[in-house]
Amino acid sequence: GKFDIRIITTLQLAFILLLGFVYYLLQLSAIAWFTLLIASCILLYYTYSARSRLPNDTFTAFLGNVWVGRVIWLGLLIHYCN
């Protein structure tokens, strides 16, 4: 539709902000915050690449979102293993 990219971007922003709030409450280390920043950059990159609305670009963005979870998981793993 007309507003699909805006809605997805809003939901991704809410996800990052809520996760940042949880990180703040848990007083996580700088590495966890850094990986949250990297995850935010990944989301921005895929949102930017999907704005063309070409099927290949949007599908690549959909498949690339797995990297957000991997980066966040890695940050939490490093935080709790140190």
Side-chain angles (χ1 to χ4, degrees):
K2 185 177 173 182
F3 298 108
D4 55 349
I5 300 292
R6 288 183 186 172
I7 292 169
I8 291 170
T9 304
T10 303
L11 291 172
Q12 290 173 342
L13 179 63
F15 168 72
I16 292 296
L17 290 174
L18 287 172
L19 201 55
F21 182 66
V22 171
Y23 279 26
Y24 172 76
L25 291 177
L26 295 176
Q27 299 177 353
L28 297 184
S29 63
I31 190 69
W33 283 98
F34 182 68
T35 57
L36 185 62
L37 176 65
I38 292 172
S40 301
C41 291
I42 293 170
L43 287 174
L44 283 173
Y45 170 75
Y46 282 122
T47 300
Y48 182 77
S49 68
R51 71 186 172 99
S52 67
R53 298 179 194 271
L54 295 173
N56 191 36
D57 292 341
T58 54
F59 190 64
T60 301
F62 172 74
L63 292 178
N65 281 330
V66 70
W67 286 102
V68 173
R70 288 177 182 167
V71 168
I72 291 170
W73 176 82
L74 181 64
L76 292 172
L77 181 71
I78 293 170
H79 169 78
Y80 285 111
C81 287
N82 282 335

